Amino acid sequence: MPPQQGMVSKKGFFRRLFKQLDIQLMVWPGVLLVFVFSYIPMYGVLTAFMDYDVFTGSRIFENPWVGFKHFEAFFDAPAFDSIMRNTLVVSLLKFIIGFPAPIILALMLNEVRHMMFKRIVQTITYLPHFMSWVIVGGLVMSLLSTENGSVNILLENVGAINEPINFLSMKEYFWAILVSTNVWKEIGFSSIVYLAAIAAVDPHMYEAADIDGASKFKQIYLITIPTIMPVITIFMILAMGNFLNAGFEDILILAQNPALRPVSDVIDTYVYRVGLQNAKYSYAVAVGLFKAVVSVGLLTIANYLARRSGTSLW
Amino acid sequence: MKRLSYSDRIMVVSIYVFLILLSFSALYPFWNGLVVSFNEGIDTSKGGVTFWPRAFTLDNYKVVFSDDNLMNAFFISVSRTVIGTVAAVFMTALLAYGLGKSYLMGRKFFTVFFVFTMYFGGGLVPTFLLINSLGLNNKFLVFIIPGLISVWNMIVFRTFFKSLPAGLEESAQIDGCGNWGTFLKIVLPLSGPIIATLGLFTAVAHWNDWFVPTIYINNENLMPVQTILRRILNSNLIQEAGNLSPETLERIAKKSLTSKALINATIMVVTLPIMLVYPFVQKYFVKGVLVGSLKE
């Protein structure tokens, strides 16, 4: 055997390091990149407790400490109530509708016996996942437009409306449009994991259930769903950790009309607006930090509850 | 196979009907966009163009392909996608190979170092300030460098490398290959499926990104096509978008072209590359997604 780096032991630390320098050199560029682009911004979070001045640049400790001033300012801000409400409502709607939808799709696809048909449906429903929100936004605007929008044409033809409705400028419709667009975009792609979990179910269980005369519905309810429950639980915990990420790109794209702000502004879009557009850096960092802390809390609670039921992330 | 009971048959039929409707709803927006892009703009605005072009024309595409600013944006998007994907996949694979070696000194520390960033981050504003103080704003490199390492992809790569037979690497080393040689000549060439999968995901992320240029780029000549498209969609008056060539704006003003026709033709041109590539990679990425969801 050639001298393998791992075999050389009981020599000096630097000698060992030098021996495996080739492999160390593979790792160090990645370490450096992640240190710069992930860890330095974490340290930048400290500016939430300061009055950050752009001119101090990287010497952030030259900024004056102000304690929880920016957090208090956020809680007292006039927009606070509507931002929190929008964040919670949009998250909740996305969770209630968006979480079970791919599971249901996977259960349905599993019943399809024509492989060709199944593959075509999968290919088509995965497709929107690969489109940018800009494209999806463009298509949605096109479908809903008052000028040759297919939705308005359909509604007029069935006699539901007389005048085309300008859906994307009306507050009443915004949440529904946002949530359904999200489900439309991701339902197929999210179903992949559940389909794989279903494929692991022992086929003998279905045969036995069939002989016992269980209907298809009963088989799904009593065999498939319990078997994929661990996967569902893990994804539910992860979804809890993301709960306050009500949306960002989708809202920036779909809520073009400033009139929609009372229903469309969520924590992330607010951070973007006050932080980057109005340059209130410290305040925006504080709002972002508030969100991160609550998210970690939610993730921990969800994981605790799940562990009591037997599945957990850690 | 035994015959299905009456209630089971109803269920199976409704599943097929539902899946057909769902597929239709996923495909129709693209189809309608395609139809509108092939229809004369003024005619479209009269309404009623849904399934087939009524006044077929290639003019909308001619405008897109002759608009210098749009073509420049396509060029930026393509260069960014190609360079960014090749560099990111290579760097991430290299890291994964190194971290996969059990004798790597500091391996435990490195693993925690990387995985930690999957759960915690600095957020938008600190990242923005960092990029600015590094002087990356308004540089093409801002598209490439911050995205070189994806921890998620690194884990997928590492899991895949572990599944390669250990004997292969050993025999390469006996034949005198160092770690770099083994990685470049043995491991990478055997990783076709996973490179295709992660390469597709990375390329799609690069191709689709409009937000990074929105916040870091002021130079109009560095704007990728998604950002320009977003501005056109965004502005009520298309003339304000300022990202189209004067000839195109003039044609819109003179109404020989409508903004809707132009938008749809652009959407189709931007979407086409993904639509062409993705069905071929689909069989690989289903596996890739699964490996990625099984974290250690």
Side-chain angles (χ1 to χ4, degrees):
Chain A
M1 272 199 85
Q4 274 246 338
Q5 290 89 335
M7 312 278 164
V8 188
S9 60
K10 289 177 190 164
K11 290 193 177 163
F13 174 81
F14 289 104
R15 184 114 182 236
R16 276 210 298 152
L17 196 66
F18 187 72
K19 277 274 183 195
Q20 56 169 250
L21 199 60
D22 62 339
I23 202 97
Q24 288 282 341
L25 282 178
M26 294 177 162
V27 177
W28 279 101
V31 172
L32 184 72
L33 283 164
V34 169
F35 178 77
V36 172
F37 292 106
S38 298
Y39 281 87
I40 293 181
M42 285 184 208
Y43 157 82
V45 164
L46 289 174
T47 55
F49 305 96
M50 301 171 173
D51 269 334
Y52 181 84
D53 178 359
V54 213
F55 299 107
T56 57
S58 54
R59 305 182 307 278
I60 68 166
F61 284 105
E62 289 176 20
N63 297 299
W65 292 96
V66 295
F68 287 89
K69 178 180 131 184
H70 299 296
F71 293 87
E72 284 161 19
F74 174 52
F75 299 141
D76 292 337
F80 180 80
D81 288 346
S82 75
I83 288 169
M84 288 312 288
R85 184 205 57 190
N86 295 340
T87 306
L88 294 175
V89 170
V90 170
S91 292
L92 202 64
L93 285 173
K94 279 187 179 174
F95 183 74
I96 293 173
I97 300 167
F99 187 77
I103 302 175
I104 295 168
L105 176 62
L107 292 172
M108 287 184 165
L109 279 170
N110 189 48
E111 296 301 324
V112 171
R113 291 285 163 266
H114 300 87
M115 280 307 126
M116 193 67 182
F117 177 79
K118 186 173 168 182
R119 231 185 339 250
I120 291 172
V121 172
Q122 283 179 283
T123 305
I124 293 174
T125 53
Y126 296 168
L127 190 63
H129 169 82
F130 292 94
M131 303 302 146
S132 73
W133 270 108
V134 175
I135 302 288
V136 172
L139 295 173
V140 170
M141 284 172 209
S142 189
L143 283 182
L144 295 180
S145 88
T146 47
E147 173 194 298
N148 193 49
S150 296
V151 172
N152 273 315
I153 294 174
L154 177 74
L155 290 176
E156 275 178 339
N157 282 344
V158 299
I161 54 171
N162 298 320
E163 282 284 293
I165 300 177
N166 193 356
F167 289 100
L168 275 168
S169 66
M170 293 168 75
K171 287 187 214 159
E172 302 86 306
Y173 300 116
F174 182 71
W175 289 342
I177 292 170
L178 184 71
V179 173
S180 47
T181 310
N182 267 282
V183 172
W184 176 82
K185 191 171 186 294
E186 301 301 337
I187 184 171
F189 200 74
S190 309
S191 71
I192 293 180
V193 186
Y194 299 111
L195 271 174
I198 293 173
V201 179
D202 185 356
H204 293 118
M205 299 228 280
Y206 293 119
E207 277 168 32
D210 231 7
I211 292 165
D212 287 346
S215 69
K216 286 226 174 257
F217 186 78
K218 274 219 149 133
Q219 292 178 24
I220 290 173
Y221 184 69
L222 294 172
I223 301 175
T224 318
I225 292 183
T227 323
I228 64 172
M229 209 55 202
V231 179
I232 295 180
T233 316
I234 295 246
F235 278 84
M236 202 180 268
I237 302 172
L238 290 172
M240 289 306 288
N242 277 320
F243 197 76
L244 292 189
N245 295 337
F248 184 62
E249 282 195 60
D250 50 347
I251 295 179
L252 286 185
I253 297 280
L254 289 174
Q256 305 286 1
N257 194 328
L260 291 174
R261 198 163 289 162
V263 290
S264 69
D265 217 6
V266 297
I267 296 178
D268 283 330
T269 54
Y270 183 68
V271 167
Y272 171 61
R273 216 177 51 247
V274 296
L276 299 194
Q277 295 182 330
N278 303 341
K280 291 165 79 179
Y281 298 121
S282 282
Y283 179 72
V285 175
V287 178
L289 184 59
F290 162 75
K291 193 194 88 163
V293 170
V294 178
S295 297
V296 172
L298 285 173
L299 186 67
T300 314
I301 294 169
N303 195 51
Y304 171 77
L305 292 176
R307 195 158 42 181
R308 291 184 52 176
S309 70
T311 321
S312 80
L313 268 186
W314 64 78
Chain B
M1 210 175 149
K2 82 183 185 72
R3 278 182 59 83
L4 295 175
S5 73
Y6 186 64
S7 66
D8 281 355
R9 258 182 291 167
I10 292 180
M11 185 166 151
V12 169
V13 169
S14 32
I15 285 176
Y16 274 80
V17 171
F18 178 86
L19 291 178
I20 288 169
L21 286 177
L22 183 76
S23 303
F24 174 79
S25 87
L27 213 49
Y28 178 74
F30 293 104
W31 180 252
N32 183 248
L34 193 67
V35 168
V36 170
S37 75
F38 279 117
N39 202 56
E40 208 172 80
I42 308 290
D43 178 71
T44 305
S45 57
K46 288 177 196 147
V49 179
T50 47
F51 286 101
W52 303 106
R54 191 167 50 203
F56 182 85
T57 176
L58 290 174
D59 274 1
N60 305 324
Y61 286 95
K62 277 184 197 148
V63 172
V64 170
F65 285 112
S66 63
D67 188 302
D68 289 342
N69 293 355
L70 278 180
M71 282 300 107
N72 181 62
F74 277 116
F75 176 72
I76 295 290
S77 286
V78 171
S79 346
R80 173 195 173 165
T81 303
V82 172
I83 299 171
T85 305
V86 172
V89 167
F90 181 79
M91 292 302 287
T92 305
L94 185 69
L95 175 67
Y97 179 81
L99 276 185
K101 292 279 164 266
S102 55
Y103 56 82
L104 177 83
M105 286 170 73
R107 182 163 179 257
K108 274 229 169 84
F109 167 77
F110 290 138
T111 306
V112 174
F113 177 87
F114 287 112
V115 171
F116 184 73
T117 63
M118 297 172 83
Y119 295 96
F120 298 95
L124 179 66
V125 176
T127 308
F128 174 79
L129 297 173
L130 170 76
I131 300 272
N132 279 323
S133 67
L134 288 175
L136 278 173
N137 49 334
N138 266 326
K139 303 252 168 35
F140 182 77
L141 284 178
V142 78
F143 298 141
I144 312 292
I145 295 179
L148 281 177
I149 299 290
S150 150
V151 176
W152 184 273
N153 290 354
M154 185 269 285
I155 291 174
V156 179
F157 262 125
R158 212 175 52 180
T159 314
F160 182 86
F161 292 159
K162 256 185 214 155
S163 71
L164 294 174
L168 267 172
E169 284 187 36
E170 274 168 30
S171 56
Q173 309 231 334
I174 291 168
D175 289 346
C177 265
N179 275 314
W180 284 80
T182 314
F183 174 69
L184 294 173
K185 290 184 202 145
I186 312 285
V187 174
L188 274 191
L190 286 174
S191 307
I194 205 75
I195 290 177
T197 307
L198 298 183
L200 175 79
F201 291 165
T202 313
V204 166
H206 273 291
W207 184 258
N208 281 346
D209 173 49
W210 57 276
F211 188 66
V212 166
T214 304
I215 59 177
Y216 297 119
I217 304 281
N218 295 318
N219 182 350
E220 299 294 331
N221 293 325
L222 282 178
M223 288 291 180
V225 72
Q226 301 270 0
T227 313
I228 292 193
L229 189 57
R230 196 241 170 176
R231 283 207 207 161
I232 303 175
L233 288 172
N234 214 351
S235 52
N236 294 323
L237 284 172
I238 199 157
Q239 282 82 349
E240 284 172 8
N243 274 115
L244 298 168
S245 72
E247 298 82 53
T248 308
L249 293 177
E250 199 180 314
R251 295 190 66 174
I252 292 170
K254 282 198 309 202
K255 283 279 175 193
S256 67
L257 177 75
T258 64
S259 51
K260 184 165 182 173
L262 178 82
I263 287 170
N264 277 285
T266 315
I267 286 179
M268 289 305 132
V269 180
V270 176
T271 314
L272 199 66
I274 296 175
M275 286 220 185
L276 289 182
V277 176
Y278 130 88
F280 295 101
V281 191
Q282 191 186 342
K283 61 176 182 227
Y284 299 125
F285 76 59
V286 172
K287 225 173 180 175
V289 170
L290 296 180
V291 178
S293 60
L294 300 170
K295 273 181 297 163
E296 292 176 75

